Amino acid sequence: MESIKPVFQSARMASRRLALRSDEEICGIINAVADATLDNISGILAANSSDMDRMEPENPKRDRLLLTEERIRDIVSDMRAVASLPSPLGITLMSSERPNGLRIDKITVPFGVIGIVYEARPNVTFDVFSLCLKAGSACVLKGGSDASATNGFVVSMMRDVLEKNGWDCNCVNLLDGGHEATGALLGAVGLVDLIIPRGSKGLIDYVRDNAKVPVIETGAGVCHTYVHESADTAMARDIVFNAKTRRVSVCNALDCLVVDRSRLESLPEICGKLAEKRVMIFADEDSYAALEGRYPYLNHAVDEDFGREWLDYKMSIATVDGLRDGIEFVSNHTSHHSEAIIAEDEAAQNAFLKEIDAACVYVNASTAFTDGGQFGFGAEIGISTQKLHARGPMALPEITTYKYVVRGNGQVR
């Protein structure tokens, strides 16, 4: 901890200086880093290539780790979009005047220093930098070793831009090392104000269980789609295909298809398009019987295949006996991220919406929409699966806090 403590102290000082910057200045720096990113595409790709070379070809995290020129240009567009958003700071949430003449305003302010622990997703480095800076906070990043070369190049580039423009480069910091550095970050009480983990359930559980600094849980998504007896078959087919295959390595991807027993005869049609992507299905006994000989990539499920985040071209299927059983199954296996029902019956829709405890609950739509950009929030720093402070896609308002500003004229109590 002592060897890393100066990093946290520098970030704290940078956050205090950042509080004096105008939104116009902040937007200028975000756009300057976006410009530098375009100028350094070849260097970023070279660093990313060295990371890719160290990862096993069959590792499902490869898609998360991979950067291409197109993805980098999309990242730059996202950064510019963040810069263009209204500032989340200095907003008066409540204002009142007391009988004694005191004026009390509740105003949004930065957290100060935000720590991010994440895995092999270098795009998070860009997202966190732009979002934290826009929200007036310095950030301390602890990325996974799989992306060490990419993150190192990118953060060095960001710090260079900050210094060249007369800013404190410690607005963004990258921790080297393994568990020791992570442990120091989790224990940096008084220096780091908030920690947000982004990654697998194992990572999030580790951070939550070991942190002394406040944590907002994000990321792990065990996502279900329940096909009710009233579901439109073609709609179910398209939603399931999109939710599972759009991008398998993200937290909003479908993990378990829950099908009403009365709709088992529709299962081959609902799952048919998945074969185009060679999705491996792990089916319970009844759904296996419905798909046997009619779907090529079929396996018998075991108990561990339910409540599992696959992050791969794999999913499970569970058969349920009606709406009540379907709600019960989802409730017993959810990670409280994103859950969906496909149904034409309005009463079934409403029951699912009321009873399912998740950050995002869908009716007749793909869980792939759980994303700050798709919700109109711009980029997001993560998907919160908890209930305190923030829930669902966490955009700029969710990475601010507030304080009460009290103005008087000599009042004493």
Side-chain angles (χ1 to χ4, degrees):
M1 170 65 180
E2 290 304 316
S3 62
I4 303 176
K5 188 175 180 179
V7 175
F8 305 139
Q9 293 171 326
S10 297
R12 171 63 69 197
M13 184 58 67
S15 74
R16 292 172 59 185
R17 293 169 178 158
L18 183 54
L20 302 175
R21 296 286 185 176
S22 69
D23 184 59
E24 183 178 2
E25 291 176 303
I26 289 171
C27 293
I29 284 294
I30 294 174
N31 282 314
V33 171
D35 292 339
T37 300
L38 292 177
D39 292 340
N40 285 278
I41 286 178
S42 60
I44 295 170
L45 291 178
N48 187 245
S49 178
S50 69
D51 286 330
M52 293 293 293
D53 288 344
R54 290 186 287 107
M55 182 173 280
E56 300 82 359
E58 66 278 3
N59 192 324
K61 291 182 181 179
R62 284 182 69 86
D63 180 61
R64 290 187 172 197
L65 176 61
L66 176 66
L67 290 179
T68 64
E69 182 170 342
E70 181 182 4
R71 287 187 177 184
I72 293 173
R73 292 189 182 278
D74 287 343
I75 287 169
V76 168
S77 295
D78 289 342
M79 293 180 70
R80 298 198 195 283
V82 169
S84 70
L85 292 170
S87 173
L89 302 173
I91 298 171
T92 301
L93 302 174
M94 182 205 76
S95 184
S96 65
E97 186 168 324
R98 303 300 298 156
N100 62 4
L102 285 178
R103 178 185 164 188
I104 302 176
D105 295 313
K106 182 181 180 181
I107 298 174
T108 57
V109 296
F111 264 102
V113 179
I114 298 177
I116 310 291
V117 183
Y118 58 112
E119 294 173 330
R121 292 186 66 174
N123 64 295
V124 171
T125 307
F126 295 94
D127 292 344
V128 167
F129 168 79
S130 55
L131 286 163
C132 286
L133 202 70
K134 181 73 176 182
S137 288
C139 59
V140 178
L141 310 177
K142 180 59 183 77
S145 59
D146 290 334
S148 58
T150 310
N151 288 336
F153 184 95
V154 169
V155 172
S156 177
M157 176 195 72
M158 291 173 171
R159 290 170 65 91
D160 185 55
V161 171
L162 288 164
E163 285 189 326
K164 286 180 178 178
N165 285 273
W167 284 54
D168 190 332
C169 66
N170 291 298
C171 288
V172 57
N173 303 267
L174 180 66
L175 296 181
D176 296 323
H179 290 299
E180 178 187 354
T182 303
L185 178 59
L186 301 186
V189 176
L191 296 173
V192 175
D193 299 288
L194 174 69
I195 292 176
I196 303 174
R198 290 194 58 174
S200 65
K201 183 178 185 299
L203 172 73
I204 293 168
D205 288 347
Y206 177 82
V207 170
R208 183 195 61 236
D209 294 344
N210 291 276
K212 296 180 181 178
V213 176
V215 172
I216 295 179
E217 298 180 37
T218 74
V222 180
C223 301
H224 301 79
T225 295
Y226 168 47
V227 178
H228 182 255
E229 64 179 2
S230 68
D232 178 85
T233 301
M235 179 190 293
R237 177 196 64 214
D238 294 342
I239 288 174
V240 168
F241 180 76
N242 177 259
K244 178 67 262 182
T245 68
R246 175 191 164 270
R247 195 170 179 189
V248 297
S249 63
V250 294
C251 57
N252 57 31
L254 173 63
D255 294 294
C256 181
L257 176 62
V258 182
V259 60
D260 200 278
R261 186 177 304 280
S262 65
R263 299 306 305 272
L264 284 173
E265 80 284 351
S266 303
L267 202 53
E269 183 176 351
I270 292 171
C271 295
K273 287 183 68 176
L274 297 172
E276 298 174 13
K277 298 289 186 177
R278 298 187 176 184
V279 173
M280 195 71 68
I281 289 177
F282 296 80
D284 67 7
E285 183 178 347
D286 295 308
S287 58
Y288 188 98
L291 290 171
E292 190 173 15
R294 304 178 71 182
Y295 188 84
Y297 309 106
L298 189 62
N299 300 271
H300 287 284
V302 296
D303 288 345
E304 292 75 18
D305 294 330
F306 301 105
R308 176 175 180 175
E309 186 180 26
W310 292 96
L311 302 174
D312 201 349
Y313 286 96
K314 299 175 181 179
M315 75 175 200
S316 54
I317 300 181
T319 306
V320 294
D321 293 305
L323 176 65
R324 301 268 28 107
D325 194 25
I327 289 175
E328 189 70 18
F329 181 90
V330 173
S331 297
N332 288 338
H333 295 87
T334 185
S335 66
H336 309 288
H337 189 292
S338 300
E339 309 292 10
I341 182 174
I342 306 173
E344 296 299 302
D345 184 274
E346 189 173 346
Q349 296 174 3
N350 291 334
F352 194 86
L353 289 173
K354 289 179 180 179
E355 295 186 53
I356 294 300
D357 179 17
C360 301
V361 187
Y362 292 84
V363 172
N364 294 335
S366 168
T367 57
F369 285 104
T370 301
D371 179 284
Q374 296 299 308
F375 278 34
F377 301 156
E380 106 271 322
I381 205 162
I383 311 297
S384 172
T385 55
Q386 66 183 45
K387 298 182 182 181
L388 291 178
H389 180 71
R391 200 176 198 199
M394 290 177 57
L396 289 172
E398 286 75 32
I399 53 172
T400 64
T401 183
Y402 58 82
K403 66 183 175 185
Y404 288 94
V405 175
V406 186
R407 291 182 173 89
N409 188 28
Q411 289 91 336
V412 295
R413 181 175 177 180

